[in-house]
Amino acid sequence: KPEYLILDEPIAGLDPLGREAVLQLITELNRGGMTILMVSHNADCLGAYARRLLVLEDGQIYGGFAFGAASDRVCELVFNTSMAGYQEIMSDPSYTDQAVVFTYPLIGNYGMAADDYETDTPTVGALVVREYNDSPSNFRSLSALDEVMRRYGIPGICGVDTRRLTRSIRDYGTRRALLTDASTPLADALRVLQSTPTPHDAVSRVSCRERRTQEPAGTRFHVVAVDCGMKKNIVRALLARGCRVTIVPWNTPARDIEACRPDGVLLSNGPGDPTDVPEVIETVRALRGRYPLFGICLGHQILSLAYGARTYKLKFGHRGGNHPVRSLQTGRIEITSQNHSYAVDADSLAGTALAPTHINLLDGTIEGVACAQERVFGVQYHPESAPGPQDSGYLFDRFIRLMEEGKDNV
């Protein structure tokens, strides 16, 4: 007896009697313990069995079962191919306002550990999974994923055909989707999607509100980190290298950063379009050439914009832990952790002080830039990992060397 039954447009072309017979069969199989995975453009079909619906703005409907918070949510739909690390992913502020489709089929099986959060308050829009496990087995786990999602108001849907959904995102690009109750008519869901404005304030919502400092024993350097939605592991990487880290809000002006007397400035990752934060771009323009600057992900894009380059939105972005990146300086290939929707336009680097340093081997996009004269560099991927491979930790060491050179030249 199979555990799953996948039905693709199960009532398409049937007369009313045929539809009723199919829906009755689905109900009986579901009561018998079989998991039904259905894909349809017909809300009546899915509403007959599903507790939740995922409605895409192009009219596609995916049915499933609720976990996490019970609220409705409009999100940008993206997929992540990582095979582990769902806790780090769901707590990464870069996923603010996004519904993450996990391509790995089993989520929740090792629970949630206290030390693995990348922010104190997760702001991911929603989670979309094939199979959710609510009985985690892990000695480090303190709670189930469902419990954490309810605590922070994050809705989820399981039992979804995530393979088909991922193919749709890959083939047609990211789209907005509404996660809603199964009783919501399709016309109402589409109206909600059309009337909900696209947010442009994600960075201001996830950045810290006040300045704070973390200091290890044996401090060597002082780094000011501009928090645009920074992951905790970036701070951990700097602390492990003997840096005192002063974390400042995203809109901190250059004069206040200068007053901290840093040895270097880090521009963090974060959510959304880099052009939504002109304040940070202006801050970088005021600081360039005065301190070593290191940009990560969104910080890399902001750095590039400050130097006169342009950015653009990718068709479906890069999200996962297995993206190959080649260094143009050494030829070395790194397997990297990535999470972004935007990239730097390669042609726009001409005429700026920046030069490309890394490229993505999957699509040839820019993965790193640098200006050696001004001790500035940025990478599109995540050298702090969490989750993902640790091939790129040397970039933090490069930042340390730039700060050392700065002190030697004083």
Side-chain angles (χ1 to χ4, degrees):
K1 177 182 178 181
E3 296 181 4
Y4 294 94
L5 177 62
I6 301 176
L7 300 176
D8 190 348
E9 297 290 358
I11 63 174
L14 297 180
D15 59 24
L17 289 177
R19 293 186 182 191
E20 183 178 350
V22 170
L23 293 178
Q24 183 177 355
L25 174 62
I26 291 170
T27 301
E28 291 176 356
L29 290 173
N30 188 244
R31 287 174 179 170
M34 183 179 294
T35 299
I36 311 295
L37 305 177
M38 295 176 59
V39 179
S40 177
H41 281 75
N42 190 313
D44 292 335
C45 170
L46 291 172
Y49 87 100
R51 299 176 193 153
R52 299 290 275 171
L53 293 180
L54 185 69
V55 182
L56 279 60
E57 60 185 336
D58 60 4
Q60 289 189 54
I61 304 170
Y62 293 78
F65 302 92
F67 73 106
S71 57
D72 287 8
R73 189 70 55 84
V74 174
C75 303
E76 180 184 35
L77 198 61
V78 300
F79 67 85
N80 187 296
T81 60
S82 296
M83 297 180 68
Y86 61 77
Q87 179 174 353
E88 292 91 332
I89 291 168
M90 68 84 63
S91 62
D92 182 347
S94 296
Y95 285 108
T96 299
D97 300 327
Q98 293 180 330
V100 181
V101 180
F102 287 96
T103 61
Y104 190 74
L106 178 62
I107 299 297
N109 54 307
Y110 54 82
M112 303 289 281
D115 296 333
D116 293 347
Y117 289 95
E118 288 302 313
T119 186
D120 291 331
T121 306
T123 53
V124 64
L127 301 184
V128 182
V129 307
R130 172 72 176 267
E131 180 179 348
Y132 170 66
N133 184 304
D134 204 36
S135 301
S137 177
N138 177 6
F139 74 97
R140 298 177 65 238
S141 175
L142 297 180
S143 57
L145 174 59
D146 173 78
E147 178 186 339
V148 172
M149 292 172 64
R150 290 174 184 271
R151 184 186 310 155
Y152 295 108
I154 301 167
I157 181 171
C158 60
V160 174
D161 185 352
T162 50
R163 169 180 272 186
R164 175 164 179 162
L165 181 54
T166 299
R167 282 182 166 180
S168 176
I169 299 169
R170 184 196 63 190
D171 293 343
Y172 302 108
T174 55
R175 281 150 291 166
R176 295 207 299 168
L178 169 66
L179 182 56
T180 185
D181 188 79
S183 63
T184 304
L186 176 59
D188 291 352
L190 292 177
R191 269 195 297 271
V192 170
L193 283 164
Q194 293 166 2
S195 62
T196 302
T198 300
H200 294 279
D201 61 345
V203 168
S204 66
R205 283 185 278 130
V206 299
S207 176
C208 63
R209 298 290 182 266
E210 298 178 349
R211 179 190 305 177
R212 67 182 190 274
T213 299
Q214 297 187 41
E215 186 168 1
T219 298
R220 299 167 58 201
F221 302 101
H222 180 204
V223 174
V224 168
V226 180
D227 180 10
C228 296
M230 184 164 53
K231 293 168 62 179
K232 287 185 174 184
N233 217 41
I234 292 176
V235 178
R236 296 186 193 110
L238 292 170
L239 293 173
R241 289 165 172 82
C243 296
R244 175 163 59 100
V245 183
T246 297
I247 303 166
V248 299
W250 67 283
N251 56 353
T252 301
R255 63 178 179 273
D256 291 352
I257 293 176
E258 292 170 355
C260 295
R261 301 178 61 85
D263 297 307
V265 177
L266 183 138
L267 308 169
S268 84
N269 66 293
D273 185 341
T275 61
D276 288 342
V277 286
E279 300 90 337
V280 190
I281 297 170
E282 288 303 317
T283 295
V284 174
R285 286 177 178 150
L287 295 175
R288 58 175 283 192
R290 305 186 64 181
Y291 306 96
L293 301 178
F294 180 18
I296 295 176
C297 200
L298 180 68
H300 154 82
Q301 298 161 9
I302 290 171
L303 193 68
S304 299
L305 290 170
Y307 273 77
R310 297 186 301 274
T311 56
Y312 65 98
K313 191 169 186 178
L314 296 164
K315 182 178 179 181
F316 51 82
H318 298 159
R319 294 174 183 86
N322 61 346
H323 288 252
V325 168
R326 184 176 69 203
S327 168
L328 297 178
Q329 298 167 326
T330 66
R332 180 174 179 261
I333 295 174
E334 306 165 32
I335 304 302
T336 66
S337 175
Q338 304 214 5
N339 169 22
H340 57 272
S341 295
Y342 292 82
V344 174
D345 185 339
D347 294 336
S348 71
L349 291 173
T352 73
L354 296 175
T357 59
H358 297 78
I359 61 167
N360 188 301
L361 293 182
L362 298 179
D363 60 9
T365 53
I366 295 293
E367 291 282 356
V369 295
C371 176
Q373 295 84 356
E374 296 184 356
R375 297 177 294 157
V376 168
F377 72 106
V379 290
Q380 185 61 79
Y381 49 99
H382 287 266
E384 81 285 353
S385 304
Q390 301 180 15
D391 295 20
S392 309
Y394 72 92
L395 292 166
F396 288 102
D397 299 325
R398 177 179 296 176
F399 187 41
I400 296 295
R401 287 196 297 273
L402 292 178
M403 290 190 287
E404 287 176 339
E405 292 170 6
K407 282 197 169 186
D408 291 342
N409 293 331
V410 172

